[in-house]
């Protein structure tokens, strides 16, 4: 149910210079989801009456994501005045003047904070007298964060940014998490008093604390024990740390749902992935994107699946697959490369050193060894001989190959597309198939073998081969 007393502001206008990237900081991903999407999902689940997202740097790319993840958000463009305080000041203009509740401000770069933790803070704020409550935590290495300065009585006095802090303040371990809840009237009054009088020449939202305290208002600190929940993403080292933390949570979550994960340390599972009970994930495996795995399937070791669907009881070993569908009890790998548009039917097999692309392989059909299958359909219960190439590209256009059911193709064939093989047909070893093969036929395209007697003796006299042949002749 919507919380009519809650408004949320998501700060997403910063430049993210420490990331040193052409991709905006907030669009880097962890667990397959952008940094800001994690925050937007949390914001959405709180069902606030008003949601505002502030953008500026790469605004169009951010807006595209916000419109998908949090469509109810009002987009506000930050102007030339920099800083989180300016962002909040402008966001407030998008919140109706009649709104009388609290404004929750979320830094867009704090992705691991969950809605339950926020709800505890919101409830605490509502049951107390403070006009603002901010989330804090203590860090072993507080560098970069704003420090929480408390008075002798322990009451919150101010937040001092790292860049503006002296040695005494730098030694404070308690930091500002960048998550704040303000009574809207107090926030409106205080943001109008912010200045850019600091080392970064920005309006800091954090200065609101000292402004409110100077006016005699009470500001509460909601300290949380799990610091990792509020770690900000400013550079790639922090991104990797947060991604590993989130991954550990995801892996554990699936383990508790009945998935065997043999080595959590080398297993990466994206947020969107769905796994059934009794799936087994072996070491060195990445399950990415919208991958779905049905019960009893064994994935890995050393396998990467991106946006794949794996049927019950299938095995997928040492494989790289994207946008592929693998049927029930099918077998893939070791060392297979499944590219987009691969469909492997139930009980089918894609074996060792086989590459497939845009290929439908029917129920019970097998491509066991050393082959390329591109732009093809294969019917049911057919077997493709070792070392077969589906030559789909003539240098100008891509063409397709159609193989029927119960076909047995010989080793080392080339199917030169477009070409069709009828049901139950055979092809001989080494055949280059350029013409359609009717159902039930045997196609041979290789010239009959000729043995030239005595060729070695005549052409390689005195060689070990010639000597070996001569010995054999003497024995006979
Ligand atoms: C901020 C806090 C700091 C806190 C830390 C927690 C301020 C001044 N400092 O520092 O006290 O410990 O977060 O992670 O707020 N943004 C805008 N407009 C801007 C600048 C930033 O919308 O003009 C957004 C950014 O996109 C980001 C968030 O605000 O999502 C925080 O900005 P960032 O520059 O990362 O602040 P920090 O230096 O980390
Ligand atoms: Ca930050």
């Amino acid at each position: 149910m919507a919380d009519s007393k809650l408004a949320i502001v998501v700060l997403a206008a910063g430049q993210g210079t420490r990331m040193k990237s052409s991709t905006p900081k907030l669009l880097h991903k962890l667990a397959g989801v952008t940094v800001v999407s994690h925050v937007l999902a949390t914001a959405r689940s709180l069902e606030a009456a008003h949601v505002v997202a502030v953008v500026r740097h790469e605004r169009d790319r951010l807006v595209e994501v916000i419109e998908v993840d949090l469509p109810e958000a009002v987009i506000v463009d930050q102007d030339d005045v920099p800083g989180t305080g300016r962002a909040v000041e402008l966001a407030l203009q998008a919140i109706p003047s009649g709104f009388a509740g609290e404004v929750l401000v979320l830094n867009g770069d704090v992705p691991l904070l969950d809605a339950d933790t926020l709800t505890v803070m919101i409830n605490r704020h509502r049951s107390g007298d403070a006009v603002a409550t901010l989330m804090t935590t203590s860090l072993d290495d507080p560098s970069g964060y704003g420090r929480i300065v408390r008075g002798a009585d322990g009451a919150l006095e101010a937040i001092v940014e790292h860049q503006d802090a002296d040695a005494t303040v730098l030694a404070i371990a308690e930091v500002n998490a960048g998550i704040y809840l303000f009574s809207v009237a107090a926030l409106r009054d205080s943001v109008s008093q912010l200045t850019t009088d600091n080392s970064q020449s920005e309006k800091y939202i954090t200065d609101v604390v000292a402004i409110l305290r100077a006016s005699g208002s009470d500001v509460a600190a909601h300290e949380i024990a799990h610091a990792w929940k509020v770690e900000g993403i400013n550079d790639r080292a922090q991104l990797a740390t947060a991604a590993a933390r989130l991954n550990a949570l995801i892996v554990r979550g699936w383990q508790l749902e009945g998935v065997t994960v043999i080595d959590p340390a080398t297993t990466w599972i994206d947020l969107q992935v769905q796994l059934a009970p009794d799936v087994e994930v072996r070491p060195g495996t990445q399950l990415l994107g919208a991958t779905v795995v049905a019960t009893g399937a064994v994935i890995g070791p050393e396998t990467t699946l991106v946006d794949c669907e794996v049927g019950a009881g299938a095995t997928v070993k040492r494989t790289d697959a994207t946008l592929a569908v693998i049927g029930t009890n099918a077998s893939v790998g070791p060392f297979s490369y499944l590219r987009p548009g691969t469909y492997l039917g139930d009980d089918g097999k894609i074996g060792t050193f086989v590459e497939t692309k845009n290929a439908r392989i029917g129920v019970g059909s097998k491509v066991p060894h050393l082959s390329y299958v591109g732009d093809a359909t294969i019917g049911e219960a057919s077997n493709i001989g070792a070392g077969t190439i589906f030559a789909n590209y003539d240098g100008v256009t891509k063409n397709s190959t159609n193989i029927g059911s119960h076909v047995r193709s010989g080793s080392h064939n080339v199917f030169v597309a477009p070409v069709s093989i009828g049901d139950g047909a055979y092809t001989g070893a080494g055949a280059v198939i350029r013409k359609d093969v009717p159902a039930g036929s045997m196609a041979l395209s290789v010239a009959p073998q000729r043995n030239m007697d005595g060729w070695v003796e005549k052409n390689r006299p005195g060689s070990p081969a010639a000597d070996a042949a001569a010995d054999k002749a003497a024995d006979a």
Side-chain angles (χ1 to χ4, degrees), residues 319-322 324 326 332 336-340 342 350 354-356:
T319 287
D320 187 309
T322 300
I326 295 164
V332 177
S336 305
Y337 180 32
L338 278 55
R339 293 165 53 199
T342 297
I350 294 174
V354 173
E355 174 180 347
T356 60

Side-chain angles (χ1 to χ4, degrees), residues 223-236:
E223 186 167 7
I224 65 161
H226 298 297
W228 59 267
K229 289 189 182 180
V230 291
E231 280 172 5
I233 309 290
N234 301 297
D235 57 37
R236 304 208 197 207

Side-chain angles (χ1 to χ4, degrees), residues 11-14 18 25-26 54 78 82-84 87 107-110 144-146 159 161 176-178 180 204-206 232 234:
L11 303 184
R18 288 166 275 181
K25 174 175 90 167
L26 297 182
V54 189
Q78 194 169 341
T84 49
N107 269 9
D109 65 351
V110 181
Y145 288 84
I159 299 172
E161 289 305 294
N176 167 33
Y180 325 80
Y204 295 159
I205 188 59
T206 47
N234 301 297

